[in-house]
Amino acid sequence: MKKTVTDFKGCLKPVPDILVSCRNKEGKNNALAVACACNCSMNPPMIMAGIVPGRYSYEFVKETGVFVVNLVTEELRTQYAYLGSHSGRDEDKLAKLGMKIGEGVKINAPILLDCPVSIECTVVDSIKTGTHEMFVGKVEYIHAKEEFILENGSVDYAKINLLKFR
Ligand SMILES: Cc1cc2nc3c(=O)[nH]c(=O)nc-3n(C[C@H](O)[C@H](O)[C@H](O)COP(=O)(O)O)c2cc1C
């Protein structure tokens, strides 16, 4: 017998645990943990990442119109928790954690090299929801560690030990 649930917050499960990395116009890099994210178009391929306007990263994505979605493994749990609970306003989080940074190929944004897959996106639209602004990102380029790329050029996601944060 089903009963009524009164807490509606974050009711859709499972949620992805991704790191969105970004760079501001002065060249400062930052990243934050994001759970409000999903695929939202297959053709053209697009993904959506929700950022609360108060986040430091929000300013970066707003001003540059680009961001990178990095998939996260269990091995990066500590870094994920840190990037999701401290603000780049107060410190250079990526440097503090010793995270390796690469360059975007199609966009001017940092790639998190410790992550197995990094997806470069340009913002094509955004929707202000209750708490978040959902940035619709057109997928421009995907980096993946060699061991996770199949012969046909797709990613072998089953091979990646994806983080399940909560
Ligand atoms: C598991 C988890 C999920 C999160 N999901 C989101 C999210 O979807 N959107 C968001 O804006 N912040 C989310 N956060 C919070 C930000 O990652 C956090 O406030 C971060 O410190 C912001 O960093 P910044 O100020 O450097 O941008 C999440 C945090 C955690 C731990």
Side-chain angles (χ1 to χ4, degrees), residues 30 32-36 50-52 55-57 80 83-88 93 132 165-166:
N30 196 37
L32 85 164
V34 166
C36 286
I51 307 181
V52 176
R55 312 285 189 237
Y56 192 45
S57 306
Y80 186 81
L83 292 165
S85 57
H86 294 72
S87 180
K93 295 189 277 188
H132 290 56
F165 190 68
R166 288 182 180 134

Side-chain angles (χ1 to χ4, degrees), residues 10-24:
C11 52
L12 177 64
K13 299 283 179 186
V15 296
D17 292 303
I18 59 163
L19 286 169
V20 170
S21 52
C22 45
R23 174 176 291 155
N24 71 3

Side-chain angles (χ1 to χ4, degrees), residues 20-72:
V20 170
S21 52
C22 45
R23 174 176 291 155
N24 71 3
K25 281 191 177 145
E26 282 74 52
K28 191 170 171 189
N29 294 329
N30 196 37
L32 85 164
V34 166
C36 286
C38 63
N39 294 307
C40 63
S41 167
M42 295 298 154
N43 190 18
M46 293 197 212
I47 52 185
M48 208 150 65
I51 307 181
V52 176
R55 312 285 189 237
Y56 192 45
S57 306
Y58 176 86
E59 298 168 22
F60 287 30
V61 175
K62 270 301 226 197
E63 75 177 28
T64 61
V66 294
F67 63 92
V68 179
V69 165
N70 302 271
L71 304 191
V72 183

Side-chain angles (χ1 to χ4, degrees), residues 1-5:
M1 175 84 153
K2 283 187 174 172
K3 293 178 95 180
T4 304
V5 175

Side-chain angles (χ1 to χ4, degrees), residues 75-142:
E75 293 72 24
L76 294 167
R77 176 176 284 275
T78 308
Q79 293 88 330
Y80 186 81
Y82 194 91
L83 292 165
S85 57
H86 294 72
S87 180
R89 257 193 209 97
D90 308 318
E91 58 178 335
D92 184 341
K93 295 189 277 188
L94 294 168
K96 172 155 186 166
L97 293 167
M99 295 195 65
K100 295 187 208 80
I101 305 290
E103 286 302 312
V105 169
K106 299 278 188 187
I107 63 170
N108 181 13
I111 304 302
L112 302 184
L113 297 177
D114 304 286
C115 293
V117 176
S118 300
I119 307 163
E120 297 184 24
C121 298
T122 52
V123 176
V124 293
D125 208 344
S126 81
I127 305 152
K128 283 191 175 130
T129 54
T131 47
H132 290 56
E133 183 161 343
M134 302 302 300
F135 291 100
V136 179
K138 180 169 170 286
V139 175
E140 303 286 5
Y141 193 92
I142 304 181

